[in-house]
Every structure is written in structure tokens, then in C-alpha cells.
């Protein structure tokens, strides 16, 4: 409920930071699961991190500069 309110009232820049934070948090969870050889948790965390990165890439706009966008991709 708190997260939902946070997302619904966030500025575009804040939403971007929330997605970046999610990608990093899930990647860290995946690393911990990998170290524990918990393959199911590893796959789940990696998938969620990948979803966040995909969302970030999908939000890149070419009008910001094709070279910059290509570099980020």
C-alpha cells in the first residue's frame, strides 16, 4: 500500500529512481541466492532485475540524443 502510494504520487524522475533502485535491489538478491545455490530464488530475482532494466531501456527517448541513447543501451 505504501509503495503503491509512492508510485502513484511520484514525479517522473522519482519513478526512474525507483526502477533503478529495484533493478539494483533484485540483482543483489539474485547474487545472494546464487551464492546460496538457491536456483529458484536466483532466477526470480534475476528476472525481476531484468524487467526493471527493460523498463529503463524502453523509456529512453531518441530526442535526448541518439549517441547518448545508443551509449546507454
Amino acid at each position: 500500500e505504501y509503495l503503491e502510494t509512492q508510485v502513484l504520487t511520484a514525479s517522473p524522475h522519482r519513478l526512474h529512481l525507483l526502477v533503478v533502485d529495484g533493478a539494483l535491489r533484485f540483482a543483489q538478491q539474485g547474487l545472494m541466492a546464487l551464492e546460496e545455490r538457491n536456483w529458484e530464488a536466483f532466477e526470480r530475482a534475476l528476472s525481476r532485475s531484468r524487467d526493471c532494466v527493460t523498463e529503463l531501456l524502453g523509456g529512453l527517448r531518441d530526442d535526448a540524443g541518439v549517441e547518448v541513447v545508443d551509449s546507454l543501451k
Side-chain angles (χ1 to χ4, degrees):
E1 193 172 303
Y2 170 76
L3 180 60
E4 183 178 348
T5 300
Q6 193 176 23
V7 169
L8 292 175
T9 60
S11 69
H13 295 293
R14 180 69 179 140
L15 287 173
H16 180 84
L17 289 175
L18 288 170
V19 176
V20 169
D21 180 61
L24 294 172
R25 187 168 19 91
F26 292 127
Q28 187 174 34
Q29 289 174 6
L31 181 58
M32 289 172 38
L34 179 64
E35 290 171 351
E36 296 170 359
R37 297 184 179 269
N38 183 342
W39 307 121
E40 186 177 322
F42 169 70
E43 192 280 325
R44 186 174 46 252
L46 186 62
S47 178
R48 293 188 75 182
S49 181
R50 187 182 313 116
D51 289 345
C52 291
V53 171
T54 300
E55 186 67 29
L56 290 168
L57 290 174
L60 294 175
R61 298 184 329 233
D62 286 336
D63 63 343
V66 175
E67 294 166 357
V68 173
V69 171
D70 286 345
S71 175
L72 289 171
K73 286 182 180 179

